[in-house]
């Protein structure tokens, strides 16, 4: 899939040329619609299943989407009335809600698919999204499609299929001009790195996307009045009251104490004593670590400690010690060579030596004792064989947490998100114990394959978290889809271990803020984080609908920082400016440059160093991340940006409204 070149946006002096449609049945649909409406000022039609009542958010029942849309609309309206829009940014557009049981022909036509520029299909069911995508491509071949799929391999094939369908339906279609493309994203993949990074202090926030690896890390200041090492660049300053229970909660509403995204050098120098998030590396991702992890998981076999029980190992140790003692006694009594004495004792133990009738009394006694040792050794050997056979039979079953386990991460919930987080934690070699109530959960196969201990049971039942050794754990991740379950589990875990590092997946932002503040006030010495998967994923989906591939997102407390790839051509705020001049504090920052010529450029920033051309010519150079501040960005360049949601929206709007022929 190539990066489109003609983003669509609008300003108050530019008439609206189309709308965007969002179809979904959970939190991501509402947040995505609000993102497009508030940040990008697009007219949005939200299609939700019919009969959604007023159930509480996070309950998983009806009303989740409708309730969220109502709160989002109210919040956007209050924000639009309270503050004027930034320079060059439009006011929030209208949001239309349409109820439909299925996203079929009738529902999509009623939503206005023929006049729409983009469609997002974010149902929780992959099959429903695929069926709706095929219908939408037939109804409007020029439509930009953004599809939510958990199955990554299927998503790659679906992108190719839908793009081919568009080319067949409209032979004269110019995708570069009309921006017809298909993007398949996974909310679980987008949020997993951020959720995994909350598990261990100092763990890098890693973004794997499009063959690119970006590693950022949260750093605490080295001392009072000092500034942390900026790494390659400082991406954000954390709240000045992070550890103050009555202070900022880390969102946009925290005022002057809120985290600052993309600060300039002056702000960084003045922010003494504040934690920072810095960029440590930009490299091309390699599949080698994951493959090595798979090989290690499959080739290392069953450890000796799991093959035989502790009781058997102690019994075997006692039998060996008895044989050694008898061999030593035989050497002392018979004055024979030590090895020959040990050999005779072993023959006696296994009852294959001749009776010591004509030997000394000491030798005869030793032979009798060796016979008794052999009688004891026989059932021990049988028990060992049975234990090993039973262990190999249960090697494909779920492991139980080892007795002496400590310093691990307890992961609650092995659904879509929990499975991706588990995979990321194993890639980082972080010990994990999982807790899951559903014996058919999708993440159990991954846990079984990587020999991860799992406790099956309802986390609200007494003894379940204790079985996961939560009292000796380093961190607790509550990632189920039900807010009350996550909160109840987190409160109980904190009662067992008050200084436990806790991260919760919560649906409602106001509820998450209240929980965050309360837990921090009750346990000021422990770290508490609340994360919303839909909040982390919505910016990436919205960016794809605007015609740009957002590579990934990392959380900065309760805000989000995006990484995006943009062609410089057509962006007046980038084209013809130096790297230093293109930097906009609090909005965007150029991180790296792809110097590859446009015809040879990999559309997804995949490493060109991974292979050579067919004729043996050397591949073009990779990304240049240490750009000189005086480098002038050319129209043919493509850059990797760190940007805020508002910054990306401004870049797209300015590009779309730039008069033709201007430089």
């Amino acid at each position: 899939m190539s990066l489109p070149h003609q983003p669509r946006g609008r300003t108050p002096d530019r008439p609206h040329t189309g709308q965007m449609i969002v179809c979904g049945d959970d939190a991501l649909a509402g947040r995505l619609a609000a993102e497009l409406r508030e940040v990008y000022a697009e007219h949005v039609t939200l299609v939700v299943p019919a009969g959604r009542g007023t159930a509480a958010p996070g309950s998983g029942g009806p009303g989740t989407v409708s309730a969220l849309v109502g709160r989002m609309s109210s919040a956007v309206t209050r924000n639009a009335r309270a503050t004027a829009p930034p320079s060059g940014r439009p006011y929030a557009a209208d949001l239309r809600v349409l109820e439909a049981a299925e996203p079929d022909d009738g529902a999509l036509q009623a939503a206005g698919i023929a006049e729409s520029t983009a469609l997002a299909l974010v149902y929780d069911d992959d099959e429903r999204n695929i069926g709706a995508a095929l219908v939408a491509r037939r109804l409007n071949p020029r439509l930009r499609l953004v599809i939510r799929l958990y199955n990554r391999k299927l998503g790659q094939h679906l992108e190719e299929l839908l793009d081919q369908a568009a080319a067949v339906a409209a032979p004269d279609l110019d995708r570069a001009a009309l921006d017809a493309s298909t993007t398949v994203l996974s909310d679980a993949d987008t949020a997993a790195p951020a959720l995994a990074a909350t598990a261990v202090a100092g763990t890098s926030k890693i973004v794997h996307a499009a063959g690119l690896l970006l590693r950022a890390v949260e750093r605490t200041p080295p001392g009072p009045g000092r500034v942390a090492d900026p790494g390659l660049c400082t991406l954000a300053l954390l709240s000045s009251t992070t550890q103050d229970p009555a202070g900022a909660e880390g969102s946009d509403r925290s005022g002057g104490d809120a985290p600052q995204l993309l600060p300039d050098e002056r702000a960084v120098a003045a922010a003494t004593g504040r934690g920072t998030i810095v960029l440590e590396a930009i490299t091309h991702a390699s599949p080698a670590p994951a493959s090595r992890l798979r090989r290690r998981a499959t080739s290392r076999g069953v450890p000796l400690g799991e093959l035989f029980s502790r009781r058997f190992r102690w019994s075997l140790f006692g039998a060996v010690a008895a044989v050694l003692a008898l061999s030593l006694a035989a050497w002392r009594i018979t004055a024979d060579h030590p090895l020959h004495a040990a050999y005779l004792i072993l023959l006696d133990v296994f009852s294959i030596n001749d009776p010591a009738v004509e030997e000394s009394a000491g030798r005869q006694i030793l032979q009798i004792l060796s016979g008794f040792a052999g009688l004891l050794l026989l059932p021990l050997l049988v028990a060992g064989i049975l234990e090993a056979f039973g262990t190999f039979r249960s090697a494909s079953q779920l492991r139980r947490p080892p007795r002496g386990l400590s310093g691990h991460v307890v992961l609650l919930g092995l659904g879509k998100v929990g499975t991706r987080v588990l995979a990321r934690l194993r890639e980082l070699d972080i010990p994990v114990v999982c807790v899951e109530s559903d014996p058919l959960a999708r993440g159990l196969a991954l846990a079984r394959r990587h020999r991860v201990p799992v406790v099956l049971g309802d986390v609200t039942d007494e003894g379940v978290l204790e079985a996961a050794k939560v009292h000796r754990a380093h961190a607790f991740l509550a990632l189920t889809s039900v807010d009350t379950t996550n909160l109840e589990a987190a409160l109980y875990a904190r009662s067992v271990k008050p200084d436990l590092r806790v991260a919760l997946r919560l649906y409602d932002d106001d509820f998450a803020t209240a929980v965050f503040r309360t837990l921090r006030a009750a346990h000021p010495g422990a770290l508490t984080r609340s994360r919303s998967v839909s909040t982390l994923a919505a910016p990436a989906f919205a960016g794809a609908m605007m015609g740009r591939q957002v590579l990934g997102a990392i959380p900065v407390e309760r805000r989000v920082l995006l990484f995006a790839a943009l062609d410089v051509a057509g962006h007046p705020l980038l084209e013809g400016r130096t790297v230093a001049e293109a930097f906009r504090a609090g909005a965007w920052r150029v991180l790296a440059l792809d110097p590859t010529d446009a015809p040879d450029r990999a559309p997804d920033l995949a490493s060109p160093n991974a292979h050579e051309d067919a004729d043996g010519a050397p591949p073009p150079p990779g990304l240049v991340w240490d750009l000189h501040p005086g480098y002038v960005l050319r129209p043919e360049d493509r850059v990797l940006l760190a940007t805020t949601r508002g910054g990306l929206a401004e870049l797209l709007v300015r590009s779309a409204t730039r008069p033709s022929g201007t430089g």
Side-chain angles (χ1 to χ4, degrees), residues 327-566:
S327 300
L328 180 62
W331 171 54
R332 299 292 294 180
I333 292 174
T334 62
D336 200 354
H337 190 277
L339 293 180
H340 189 263
Y343 173 70
L344 293 178
I345 290 298
L346 287 176
L347 293 178
D348 294 334
V349 167
F350 293 109
S351 301
I352 57 178
N353 197 11
D354 293 332
V357 176
E358 299 179 356
E359 300 288 341
S360 63
R363 175 72 182 86
Q364 293 175 350
I365 294 175
L366 286 177
Q367 190 174 55
I368 294 175
L369 294 177
S370 299
F372 277 111
L375 292 176
L376 297 176
L377 184 61
L378 180 61
L380 185 62
L381 293 177
V382 174
I385 294 174
L386 294 177
E387 277 199 3
F389 180 71
T391 301
F392 280 117
R393 284 191 60 188
S394 61
S396 61
Q397 303 300 316
L398 296 173
R399 288 184 59 200
R400 299 290 296 176
R403 291 185 179 182
L405 182 65
S406 63
H408 57 287
V409 174
V410 177
L411 173 61
L412 172 61
L414 285 176
K416 292 182 178 180
V417 177
T419 302
R420 293 291 194 240
V421 173
L422 174 60
R424 184 55 50 88
L425 291 174
R426 294 306 303 134
E427 289 176 6
L428 298 174
D429 285 330
I430 297 175
V432 186
V433 173
C434 300
V435 178
E436 175 58 53
S437 59
D438 183 6
L440 300 178
R442 68 171 66 232
L444 292 179
L446 179 67
R448 186 180 296 111
R449 185 165 63 249
H450 291 297
R451 306 287 294 161
V452 175
V454 177
V455 176
L456 284 177
D458 190 343
V459 71
T460 59
D461 293 340
E462 186 176 356
V464 173
L465 284 181
E466 285 82 354
K469 316 295 182 185
V470 72
H471 57 286
R472 291 203 296 263
H474 173 76
F476 178 72
L477 295 177
L479 304 180
T480 73
S481 58
V482 182
D483 283 6
T484 54
T485 300
N486 294 335
L487 178 58
E488 182 178 357
L491 293 175
Y492 183 77
R494 274 282 170 82
S495 67
V496 175
K497 186 178 181 181
D499 61 342
L500 184 67
R501 186 183 183 100
V502 171
L504 297 86
R505 172 189 176 187
L506 295 177
Y507 171 85
D508 185 81
D509 190 64
D510 292 334
F511 179 55
T513 300
V515 170
F516 172 75
R517 285 186 166 182
T518 303
L519 287 177
R520 191 175 59 179
H523 305 279
L527 189 141
T528 303
R529 294 288 184 265
S530 57
R531 296 286 182 260
S532 169
V533 173
S534 57
T535 300
L536 291 173
F541 280 78
M545 292 189 72
M546 295 301 297
R548 284 298 181 265
Q549 181 67 47
V550 176
L551 301 180
I554 62 171
V556 181
E557 297 183 35
R558 300 190 60 76
R559 301 182 67 183
V560 177
L561 185 66
L562 306 177
F563 295 99
L566 291 181

Side-chain angles (χ1 to χ4, degrees), residues 52-291:
R52 294 277 170 169
T54 58
S59 63
T64 300
V65 176
S66 299
L68 175 66
V69 171
R71 287 193 302 275
M72 287 289 182
S73 301
S74 301
V76 171
T77 303
R78 290 196 302 269
N79 292 339
R81 292 175 179 175
T83 59
S87 176
R89 291 279 309 285
Y91 284 99
D94 295 332
L95 174 66
R96 183 167 67 105
V97 179
L98 177 67
E99 292 189 349
E102 294 291 338
D104 52 16
D105 294 51
L108 293 178
Q109 289 176 356
I113 192 172
E115 301 81 21
S116 298
T117 59
L119 167 67
L121 298 167
V122 292
Y123 291 98
D124 192 49
D125 182 10
D126 285 2
E127 184 177 350
R128 179 182 290 185
N129 290 330
I130 294 173
L134 296 175
V135 173
R137 182 58 84 207
R138 174 173 53 82
L139 295 177
N140 186 350
R142 292 168 171 78
L143 188 70
R144 189 184 312 121
L145 287 175
V146 179
I147 308 169
R148 171 188 184 182
L149 282 186
Y150 180 81
N151 191 325
R152 287 176 285 191
K153 182 177 294 185
L154 177 60
Q156 295 175 358
H157 296 307
L158 184 64
E159 283 187 359
E160 298 175 0
L161 174 64
L162 291 176
D163 286 341
Q164 291 173 0
V168 172
D172 59 338
L173 181 64
D174 183 2
R175 285 194 298 168
L178 297 175
D179 206 8
S181 62
T182 304
T183 304
V184 176
L185 298 174
S186 168
D187 56 332
D189 284 335
T190 303
L195 293 169
T198 62
V200 179
T203 299
S204 297
K205 302 173 185 292
I206 299 177
V207 175
H208 286 273
L212 199 65
L213 183 147
L214 301 105
R215 186 171 72 245
V217 66
E218 183 175 329
R219 292 182 178 172
T220 56
R226 302 184 65 184
V227 180
D229 182 3
L232 297 181
C233 68
T234 300
L235 297 176
L237 298 173
L238 301 180
S239 297
S240 59
T241 57
T242 301
Q243 300 301 327
D244 182 5
E249 80 279 4
S251 71
D252 295 331
R253 299 170 293 181
S254 302
D257 294 328
Q260 298 181 29
L261 303 184
L262 303 175
D264 55 22
E265 294 182 359
R266 182 178 302 177
V268 173
T272 58
R274 293 179 64 169
T276 60
I277 293 180
V278 303
L279 184 66
E280 280 194 336
I282 303 174
T283 58
H284 289 294
S286 170
S291 62

Side-chain angles (χ1 to χ4, degrees), residues 1-8 20 40 118 144 146 175-176 179 181 183 185 538-552 562-571 574 603 637-639 641 643 648-649 651-653 655-656:
M1 185 201 70
S2 60
L3 292 175
H5 296 277
Q6 300 292 331
R8 297 183 184 271
M20 294 188 174
Y40 297 98
R144 189 184 312 121
V146 179
R175 285 194 298 168
D179 206 8
S181 62
T183 304
L185 298 174
F541 280 78
M545 292 189 72
M546 295 301 297
R548 284 298 181 265
Q549 181 67 47
V550 176
L551 301 180
L562 306 177
F563 295 99
L566 291 181
D567 294 324
V568 172
H571 289 84
L574 299 176
D637 289 338
R638 178 169 58 178
V639 292
L641 297 173
T643 175
L648 180 60
L651 283 172
L652 297 182
V653 169
S655 173

